Amino acid sequence: MKIGVLFVCLGNICRSPMAEAIFRNLVESQGKSEQFDIDSAGTGDWHIGDGPHQGTVQKLAEYHIATEGMLSRQIKQEDYDRFDYIVCMDNSNIQNALPMLGIKESSKVFRLLDLIQDSRDVPDPYFTGDFEETYQLCLEGCKALLQKIEADKRSHS
Ligand code: 4NP
């Protein structure tokens, strides 16, 4: 059984595709790709079928992380069963995602940067224009997420 990890933001063009690509790269660099089912989705429907924002594509290219083939989609109820970790970029994403997943609350659904010391929302570069800040925070969060998943695995085995 693969470990399912879904990253969630509002538009699925800036933050969650960035986190998805960073997490996929991290897992790949550790030779663990086969163990994971990784995806991202938005709570909004404005960008369905679109590729990631140019700012996200450029920032990831700067760090040699691929974005080919990534397309925006909206979160759906079946995602709740498919994924073990539903990792939201900010608190409003959690509030919007829960009813779309058909649930009231779940420990599966949490905020990426609640895993780091300086617990906070991932700032949205669609509005801030600062893709570097978002990249660094997503990277820190994704490292913490992989550590949490490894710790969860150990405690369940
Ligand atoms: P994201 O950023 O949630 O990080 O993908 C946004 C992208 C698009 C919009 C809002 C946020 N929008 O309103 O179209």
Side-chain angles (χ1 to χ4, degrees):
M1 276 286 281
K2 294 195 181 203
I3 302 163
V5 180
L6 180 70
F7 294 95
V8 179
C9 66
L10 180 57
N12 191 216
I13 56 168
C14 294
R15 294 165 296 171
S16 60
M18 189 179 278
E20 177 194 345
I22 290 170
F23 190 74
R24 180 172 283 119
N25 186 255
L26 209 58
V27 159
E28 217 168 84
S29 71
Q30 297 190 11
K32 294 175 180 163
S33 297
E34 296 307 305
Q35 299 176 26
F36 286 91
D37 172 19
I38 304 165
D39 199 3
S40 67
T43 58
D45 61 3
W46 314 287
H47 296 283
I48 293 173
D50 292 351
H53 189 286
Q54 206 46 36
T56 288
V57 172
Q58 278 170 9
K59 185 50 66 183
L60 289 169
E62 221 177 286
Y63 290 99
H64 309 287
I65 297 176
T67 50
E68 279 78 25
M70 296 180 80
L71 294 178
S72 172
R73 73 165 176 93
Q74 196 171 25
I75 193 169
K76 51 182 189 231
Q77 191 149 355
E78 301 89 87
D79 288 326
Y80 186 69
D81 293 324
R82 175 175 158 197
F83 295 98
D84 305 292
Y85 297 87
I86 300 176
V87 188
C88 297
M89 297 299 118
D90 65 35
N91 276 323
S92 72
N93 302 149
I94 298 181
Q95 293 320 313
N96 293 329
L98 288 173
M100 298 179 82
L101 293 166
I103 52 164
K104 288 217 164 68
E105 63 168 348
S106 164
S107 57
K108 271 192 197 185
V109 183
F110 59 91
R111 199 169 61 152
L112 178 66
L113 297 185
D114 278 338
L115 300 178
I116 69 166
Q117 192 81 26
D118 177 25
S119 173
R120 57 180 295 192
D121 286 344
V122 176
D124 192 344
Y126 190 78
F127 301 109
T128 67
D130 191 343
F131 286 84
E132 175 64 22
E133 175 193 40
T134 295
Y135 173 84
Q136 293 299 340
L137 287 167
C138 284
L139 179 60
E140 195 182 347
C142 282
K143 286 178 181 170
L145 176 62
L146 191 52
Q147 281 181 358
K148 172 187 163 54
I149 293 171
E150 298 294 349
D152 288 351
K153 252 203 298 199
R154 280 193 298 274
S155 71
H156 289 131
S157 64

